[in-house]
Amino acid sequence: MAQSSPAQRDRITLTGITAVGHHGVFEHERRDGQPFIVDVVLHLDLRPAGESDDLTRTAHYGELAEQVVELITGEPLDLIEALAERIASAILSSFAVDAVEVIVHKPKAPIEVPFGDVAVSIFRERT
């Protein structure tokens, strides 16, 4: 069996990044806004940071969180799928990661039946 590289096993996970966005297909969603919650998993080799204790050798999760909030509160989109793509693309452009998983939750989605959450999850690798 082939052994995976450290980057395939190492992860930084940041969950529950929350901000009010104006995404949705309905006018009232765009007008009033609602909370969106984002979870991000970065896949990268953490050995250089672990061995050196040097912040510049890893992904700065404070900067990551700020960038995600800017995207949640930024230009409105119809679909949370599009928001997830926008976040994944920005992370791959801004951080030295091999891959990223983005989960976008829309807990106040306009659904007419009782529900706990609606979320989309995407995984994107650097190409």
Side-chain angles (χ1 to χ4, degrees), residues 10-62:
D10 298 349
R11 297 184 304 277
I12 295 174
T13 303
L14 185 56
T15 59
I17 305 166
T18 306
V20 173
H22 295 265
H23 311 289
V25 295
F26 297 113
E27 188 274 328
H28 66 87
E29 294 180 289
R30 296 281 183 119
R31 182 189 63 235
D32 302 336
Q34 62 188 290
F36 291 84
I37 303 165
V38 174
D39 305 325
V40 176
V41 180
L42 305 178
H43 297 263
L44 69 161
D45 187 354
L46 294 175
R47 187 174 296 141
E51 292 173 346
S52 66
D53 196 28
D54 182 354
L55 178 61
T56 65
R57 311 279 312 264
T58 189
H60 190 306
Y61 47 81

Side-chain angles (χ1 to χ4, degrees), residues 45-108:
D45 187 354
L46 294 175
R47 187 174 296 141
E51 292 173 346
S52 66
D53 196 28
D54 182 354
L55 178 61
T56 65
R57 311 279 312 264
T58 189
H60 190 306
Y61 47 81
E63 293 175 359
L64 170 68
E66 291 174 10
Q67 185 176 48
V68 170
V69 167
E70 288 177 11
L71 293 166
I72 294 170
T73 61
E75 179 185 347
L77 296 162
D78 287 344
L79 303 177
I80 58 175
E81 293 86 343
L83 180 58
E85 282 289 343
R86 183 178 284 172
I87 292 168
S89 178
I91 290 169
L92 289 170
S93 296
S94 301
F95 296 93
V97 299
D98 298 312
V100 62
E101 181 178 357
V102 176
I103 303 167
V104 176
H105 304 264
K106 189 175 179 181
K108 303 287 186 187

